[in-house]
């Protein structure tokens, strides 16, 4: 499952530099996560770094993007060749 940013985002930018996959960027009004780059931090950290640093808890798992640990790990590998 990739993560997604909810509308509660306050644009603090704390999450962007924490992502090991450069999946987070400023978007229209709020920050956004590219689901094709997010691995839930699989391959880099024990848990999603963006969630740890977000001051308003507006980053959640995207229920429309359920993916297995194997898929997430493979994505991490493909992003870091
Ligand atoms: Fe980046 Fe990890 Fe957050 Fe996904 S969970 S957006 S890989 S920091
Ligand atoms: Fe938005 Fe949270 Fe990222 Fe700050 S850390 S930019 S509030 S998603």
């Amino acid at each position: 499952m990739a993560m997604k940013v909810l509308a509660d985002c306050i644009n603090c930018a704390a999450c962007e530099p924490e992502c090991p996959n450069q999946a987070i960027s400023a978007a229209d009004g709020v920050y956004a996560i590219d689901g094709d780059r997010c691995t839930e931090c699989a391959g880099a950290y024990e848990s999603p770094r963006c969630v740890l640093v977000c001051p308003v808890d507006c980053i959640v798992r995207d229920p429309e993007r359920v993916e297995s640990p194997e898929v997430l790990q493979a994505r991490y590998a493909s992003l870091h060749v």
Side-chain angles (χ1 to χ4, degrees), residues 5 9-15 31 50 53-56 58-59:
V5 178
C9 172
I10 58 171
N11 290 304
C12 73
C15 54
Y31 272 66
C50 53
V53 301
C54 181
V56 294
C58 70
I59 304 174

Side-chain angles (χ1 to χ4, degrees), residues 5 9 11 15-16 23-34:
V5 178
C9 172
N11 290 304
C15 54
E16 185 176 2
I24 306 173
S25 59
D28 232 7
V30 295
Y31 272 66
I33 292 173
D34 180 352

Side-chain angles (χ1 to χ4, degrees), residues 20-21 39-46 69 72-74 76-77 80:
N21 300 329
T39 63
E40 294 184 34
C41 280
Y45 300 109
E46 290 291 315
L72 295 171
Q73 192 67 47
Y76 183 83
H80 299 271

